[in-house]
Amino acid sequence: MSLEIGDIAPDFEVNDQDGNKIKLSDYKGKKVVLYFYPKDATPGCTAQACNLRDNYEALQKAGYEILGISSDDEAKHRKFIEKQNLPFTLLADTEKEVHEKYGTWVEKNMYGRKYMGTARTTFIIDEEGKIEDIIAKVKTKEHTSQILK
């Protein structure tokens, strides 16, 4: 499925780092940064999460709720949040259902080896649930400026 700017963001329900059920529709009336990333505690994903953490106040001031999502489980998310002192929610899409809805579970190629993995992609969703922007070329160390541009 290929989503485009202007499309309604597909709703979903998955657990957060504490095992609470989270639905995108719970955030209706708020602007959401839904960022898909490959794996907790890896260099690029840590750089991205820490950039969002370090600029969290500016993002909140601009009205954004931040939701990170990967195929890692709740326990890995909890550990990542504690280690990096992350102030936002991480969602556990262990079955990759949300990845499928957003087209972020893709074939990747590393050193000639093909495998399935997460395409690092961020969806900016407006208060009405519409996709306002899609950031496909995420700069992990400058992600906040890409969002606030």
Side-chain angles (χ1 to χ4, degrees):
M1 178 174 188
S2 189
L3 294 171
E4 295 177 9
I5 292 170
D7 287 350
I8 294 292
D11 199 13
F12 56 80
E13 182 178 312
V14 289
N15 289 349
D16 69 5
Q17 67 276 355
D18 300 318
N20 300 312
K21 293 256 182 250
I22 301 291
K23 290 184 197 160
L24 180 62
S25 54
D26 295 339
Y27 291 86
K28 196 131 178 117
K30 297 178 179 176
K31 295 192 286 188
V32 175
V33 172
L34 180 65
Y35 82 97
F36 288 82
Y37 66 98
K39 211 157 190 42
D40 291 334
T42 56
C45 297
T46 299
Q48 182 179 14
C50 291
N51 175 267
L52 294 170
R53 174 201 66 204
D54 295 347
N55 296 285
Y56 188 62
E57 210 172 284
L59 289 160
Q60 281 198 308
K61 217 172 262 173
Y64 290 109
E65 294 284 336
I66 311 295
L67 297 174
I69 184 165
S70 81
S71 58
D72 286 326
D73 64 21
E74 293 97 329
K76 282 187 182 153
H77 283 343
R78 165 94 345 256
K79 206 167 155 184
F80 188 42
I81 285 171
E82 287 169 1
K83 184 170 185 192
Q84 299 303 332
N85 198 25
L86 303 178
F88 47 82
T89 301
L90 296 180
L91 304 174
D93 185 26
T94 55
E95 302 301 313
K96 295 150 194 95
E97 290 170 9
V98 184
H99 281 71
E100 293 289 349
K101 285 182 180 185
Y102 282 79
T104 58
W105 190 247
V106 298
E107 184 175 79
K108 296 175 122 185
N109 192 341
M110 192 189 300
Y111 307 119
R113 186 178 74 83
K114 291 185 187 315
Y115 64 98
M116 294 302 287
T118 300
R120 187 185 307 275
T121 310
T122 298
F123 293 85
I124 312 295
I125 302 164
D126 73 12
E127 299 88 342
E128 302 299 310
K130 263 197 206 142
I131 298 172
E132 200 172 81
D133 196 10
I134 300 170
I135 303 169
K137 296 204 179 333
V138 173
K139 295 178 183 155
T140 58
K141 293 182 173 124
E142 302 163 34
H143 198 41
T144 301
S145 58
Q146 289 181 294
I147 294 165
L148 296 175
K149 67 157 179 34

